[in-house]
Amino acid sequence: MFKESERHNSCHMSDKCIRYKVCPMVLVQQLLSGKRKILILWYLSGKVLRFNYIKKRLPDVTQKMLTQQLRSLEEDNLIYRKVYPVVPPKVEYGLTELGEKIIPILEMMHGFGAEYLEIKCNENISQKKAANID
């Protein structure tokens, strides 16, 4: 483990985060790392969803993995889980007030992804045109 004075030496913003026990960027990375956590938060932005709806949106994720990721997000207070006392059981998930604060970040990530795809598409078109000219 790092000494108290060395805990943020590798951070390029250490002057802003030295007062915390952990670098805020490291914390965010820990909160969002995991199989499909970012997509789960994205799907929950603006709506409450049931488990099966989330599962259908993530077909390559097992039920066990999705349950683990949902529990982790719930433990970190980014989402809530509401269980209705009915048979069969009905469970809904939604963003907490804290979880809603990540929506602008997710929207920026979406925007970056769209811009990246546009750039790559334009590069591919330019490369094809150049190949046809030669």
Side-chain angles (χ1 to χ4, degrees):
M1 204 54 146
F2 296 110
K3 294 179 187 174
E4 187 70 19
S5 62
E6 297 175 350
R7 69 178 178 213
H8 291 284
N9 283 350
S10 63
C11 179
H12 74 281
M13 296 185 76
S14 61
D15 58 323
K16 293 182 180 180
C17 66
I18 193 72
R19 66 185 177 151
Y20 304 111
K21 289 186 178 184
V22 63
C23 173
M25 187 58 85
V26 171
L27 173 64
V28 171
Q29 192 272 331
Q30 290 171 348
L31 290 172
L32 298 181
S33 68
K35 191 138 178 120
R36 307 295 190 263
K37 281 186 179 180
I38 292 173
L39 285 177
I40 293 168
L41 292 167
W42 180 245
Y43 295 145
L44 290 174
S45 62
K47 44 185 118 69
V48 174
L49 300 174
R50 293 180 69 176
F51 182 91
N52 285 336
Y53 185 87
I54 299 168
K55 177 73 176 93
K56 285 177 186 173
R57 295 274 184 241
L58 304 167
D60 60 327
V61 176
T62 65
Q63 185 165 335
K64 179 182 175 183
M65 180 58 67
L66 179 56
T67 299
Q68 288 173 344
Q69 297 305 291
L70 289 167
R71 285 184 182 155
S72 177
L73 289 166
E74 186 179 9
E75 287 171 12
D76 292 332
N77 196 32
L78 296 175
I79 67 168
Y80 67 86
R81 178 178 185 258
K82 184 174 181 180
V83 181
Y84 293 89
V86 294
V87 178
K90 177 181 174 184
V91 180
E92 292 180 338
Y93 295 90
L95 294 179
T96 62
E97 192 174 318
L98 182 61
E100 288 179 3
K101 292 180 185 284
I102 202 161
I103 293 173
I105 297 168
L106 297 174
E107 289 171 342
M108 288 176 64
M109 292 170 70
H110 182 273
F112 173 80
E115 187 175 339
Y116 182 88
L117 290 171
E118 288 293 326
I119 290 168
K120 293 307 269 181
C121 179
N122 290 337
E123 285 177 1
N124 289 340
I125 290 170
S126 296
Q127 289 172 355
K128 287 179 182 177
K129 285 182 180 177
N132 289 336
I133 293 172
D134 294 337

